[in-house]
Amino acid sequence: MHAPFVSLAAAQSTADPSGPLAWLTWAGTHFIGLFNAAGKQFVGLVTGILPTLIVLLTAMYALTTFIGEERVNRALQWSARWWITRYTVMPVLAVLMLTNPICYSFGRFLPERYKPAFYDSTVSFVHPVTTFFPYANAGELFVWLGVAKGVQDLGVSTVPLALRYLLVGIVVIFIRGIVTERITHLMIKRTGQVELFRSFDEQFAAASNTGRAAA
């Protein structure tokens, strides 16, 4: 007569464990739930942003190949001559052509005294660039997606926001480049390294002249 009651109690005990077993059950459930959520996120990427990244990256590599590496290098060298293009055109081209983090290697076109400012300017552009060119810094695309989330929830187009984000980014990298260049010049003077950097400038000019002669 008590058998059904005992069976029901046992079933309830099994379905709703207590003590250490409850903690283990909770851990196991959430452990596999974490991977299930990650799998759903991965599927969303495969059917969403990932194809866009691949196509954009392929198109940019094709464009670079079509233009030619030498022409790209000449464009970078041209933009490195003047301060107004050194911290606008040069970082933008570097990030678009080589993506993050290889884009910093374009600093080889600059004398030593300008490399810190170029790095500061370029590294500050790797997030604004993701608005229209997400392939350039795909690993940190979540920054732009986080900025745009509120606008998307309102059902409004993110294109105006993306354009403003990109343009403000160019203004910011220009300011950062100029400020860092001035700070670098002050530090060179304060640390008594003027002659050392002058010798670096001479070596850079000699190497540039040799390269032009060879070309």
Side-chain angles (χ1 to χ4, degrees):
M1 183 171 181
H2 295 287
F5 176 76
V6 173
S7 301
L8 179 60
Q12 289 176 343
S13 176
T14 303
D16 188 18
S18 60
L21 185 59
W23 286 101
L24 292 174
T25 301
W26 180 89
T29 302
H30 287 78
F31 176 78
I32 193 63
L34 175 65
F35 290 96
N36 287 335
K40 293 178 181 179
Q41 181 66 22
F42 177 74
V43 171
L45 292 174
V46 171
T47 58
I49 190 64
L50 192 57
T52 303
L53 294 177
I54 295 174
V55 171
L56 277 171
L57 187 60
T58 303
M60 186 55 64
Y61 283 161
L63 179 63
T64 304
T65 303
F66 176 76
I67 295 174
E69 184 177 354
E70 293 183 1
R71 291 181 179 175
V72 173
N73 290 341
R74 285 200 296 268
L76 266 296
Q77 290 172 327
W78 171 85
S79 63
R81 295 180 182 178
W82 303 282
W83 57 271
I84 195 170
T85 55
R86 187 159 55 238
Y87 306 119
T88 53
V89 176
M90 190 175 184
V92 171
L93 288 179
V95 174
L96 291 180
M97 294 296 180
L98 294 186
T99 73
N100 185 38
I102 311 174
C103 53
Y104 310 120
S105 64
F106 273 162
R108 69 182 184 274
F109 295 120
L110 292 169
E112 295 296 322
R113 66 177 67 247
Y114 299 130
K115 288 181 180 180
F118 169 74
Y119 172 80
D120 192 5
S121 181
T122 305
V123 77
S124 301
F125 191 63
V126 295
H127 291 306
V129 75
T130 56
T131 57
F132 291 107
F133 307 96
Y135 73 91
N137 192 26
E140 299 182 64
L141 184 58
F142 64 89
V143 176
W144 159 244
L145 295 179
V147 172
K149 184 63 167 63
V151 176
Q152 290 176 332
D153 290 344
L154 293 174
V156 180
S157 173
T158 59
V159 174
L161 176 63
L163 183 59
R164 291 183 177 92
Y165 192 35
L166 183 68
L167 294 177
V168 169
I170 295 175
V171 173
V172 169
I173 66 173
F174 175 69
I175 295 173
R176 291 179 67 100
I178 295 298
V179 171
T180 304
E181 180 180 309
R182 297 307 306 162
I183 293 175
T184 303
H185 288 176
L186 289 174
M187 293 300 297
I188 291 173
K189 291 181 179 180
R190 288 187 178 183
T191 56
Q193 304 295 328
V194 176
E195 292 300 326
L196 176 62
F197 276 85
R198 186 171 295 155
S199 66
F200 289 157
D201 293 341
E202 293 173 355
Q203 294 173 13
F204 179 82
S208 299
N209 293 333
T210 303
R212 293 192 190 97

